[in-house]
Amino acid sequence: MSIVDLTGSARRRRLYWLLSDCGNVVLRGLLHYRRQPAGIAWQLGFPLLSVLLYSQVFGEAMKVPGGGDYLAYLMPGMFVMTMTLGFVNTATLVVHDATKGVVDRFRSMPMASSAVVAGRCGTDLLVAAAELGVMMSTAVAMGWRPQLGWGFVAGVVLLLWLRFSLVWLGIWIGLALPNPEAAGGLFALTFPVTMISGIFVSPQLMPGWLAVPAAWNPVSSTALATRDLFGSPVAGDVWVERHALLMSGVWPLVLTAIFLPLAVRRFRGLSR
């Protein structure tokens, strides 16, 4: 009985120190933004400019299948695009810390090694929540009127769930890149992925050879599901579109199952 109690006590102590170390890494990440405000200004300012530009430039030209307001169609897609492109910033910060020796310093300290990557994930989720707040406030000021309630809360959770899964992709790539300059090319590689999707226009309006990959693009499922949850439902013909709510949970789960173990393995292998 005493052995069981000791084992349970040891586990509680490990969990406490893991959470404590993770909290310190999150706090370090937030202090980094405070000391370098240009970084957080860019991360919060880019979504704001995107909302203004895309809604004003494309607003009168875009058609919504079945009719409807394009702003109501666009905004969930803009939220998804911001959550998707956020992994580029994750990769940039991780490779910067790795090449500057910050990660090695963490590893030399008496702290849980998993707290380093978990803390990075926590910091990026907090920043992502702030980005969503800025974008939604701007959209409301421009006339966007989502349906409030549990559906709205579920839509926000789905957006952060997508961001959570892509954080691990960003950590894995950041640990593999040789220098911060190499991370700059990730944006150019990712941008076409966000364009060939249902973020800005329905795949039904695309040529047939583009409509299929756009419909099966994981970000399309989150965009379609959040439109429905925010009160702007848009129907689709493809199976993955008819089950967008289900797939908006499955796609991030698959990405997490793939890239979380890869990121942890890559981090543990740095000292080998």
Side-chain angles (χ1 to χ4, degrees):
M1 186 65 180
S2 59
I3 295 176
V4 174
D5 289 341
L6 287 175
T7 303
S9 178
R11 287 178 177 173
R12 285 193 293 272
R13 285 199 301 272
R14 284 199 297 269
L15 178 60
Y16 169 78
W17 284 114
L18 172 62
L19 295 176
S20 178
D21 294 339
C22 182
N24 287 328
V25 175
V26 171
L27 181 61
R28 180 255 176 192
L30 297 178
L31 289 175
H32 177 80
Y33 283 114
R34 192 182 72 174
R35 292 168 182 170
Q36 297 186 4
I40 192 66
W42 166 252
Q43 280 191 252
L44 297 181
F46 178 74
L48 176 63
L49 288 175
S50 298
V51 171
L52 295 173
L53 289 175
Y54 282 102
S55 62
Q56 297 303 311
V57 173
F58 297 144
E60 298 297 330
M62 291 296 183
K63 296 180 180 178
V64 179
D69 180 25
Y70 182 64
L71 185 63
Y73 182 92
L74 173 67
M75 289 318 305
M78 293 297 302
F79 302 149
V80 172
M81 187 182 76
T82 302
M83 296 298 101
T84 304
L85 295 180
F87 93 92
V88 177
N89 185 66
T90 300
T92 303
L93 293 174
V94 169
V95 69
H96 183 273
D97 285 348
T99 54
K100 296 297 182 183
V102 176
V103 173
D104 291 335
R105 188 178 304 172
F106 278 138
R107 292 176 62 87
S108 67
M109 298 172 66
M111 62 184 294
S113 59
S114 56
V116 179
V117 289
R120 179 74 265 162
C121 180
T123 303
D124 288 354
L125 284 178
L126 289 176
V127 173
E131 290 175 338
L132 282 178
V134 170
M135 294 184 71
M136 289 182 175
S137 299
T138 305
V140 169
M142 296 176 61
W144 180 58
R145 297 293 182 267
Q147 288 184 0
L148 300 179
W150 287 111
F152 180 84
V153 175
V156 173
V157 170
L158 281 181
L159 291 168
L160 293 176
W161 174 228
L162 175 66
R163 181 74 181 93
F164 174 83
S165 67
L166 293 174
V167 164
W168 299 106
L169 172 62
I171 293 175
W172 178 62
I173 293 177
L175 292 174
L177 291 175
N179 51 63
E181 290 76 14
L186 292 175
F187 184 82
L189 294 175
T190 308
F191 193 68
V193 176
T194 61
M195 295 300 292
I196 305 175
S197 69
I199 287 179
F200 297 106
V201 297
S202 171
Q204 302 172 35
L205 302 178
M206 299 180 184
W209 63 275
L210 269 182
V212 174
W216 282 90
N217 188 333
V219 301
S220 297
S221 296
T222 302
L224 205 55
T226 50
R227 282 188 188 109
D228 189 19
L229 292 170
F230 290 160
S232 304
V234 178
D237 298 330
V238 184
W239 181 91
V240 71
E241 294 176 323
R242 295 196 301 272
H243 300 81
L245 185 59
L246 169 66
M247 296 309 296
S248 64
V250 170
W251 284 125
L253 181 63
V254 172
L255 292 173
T256 302
I258 294 173
F259 291 108
L260 192 156
L262 288 176
V264 173
R265 177 182 295 182
R266 186 76 187 180
F267 179 77
R268 289 176 176 172
L270 288 178
S271 61
R272 296 175 183 171

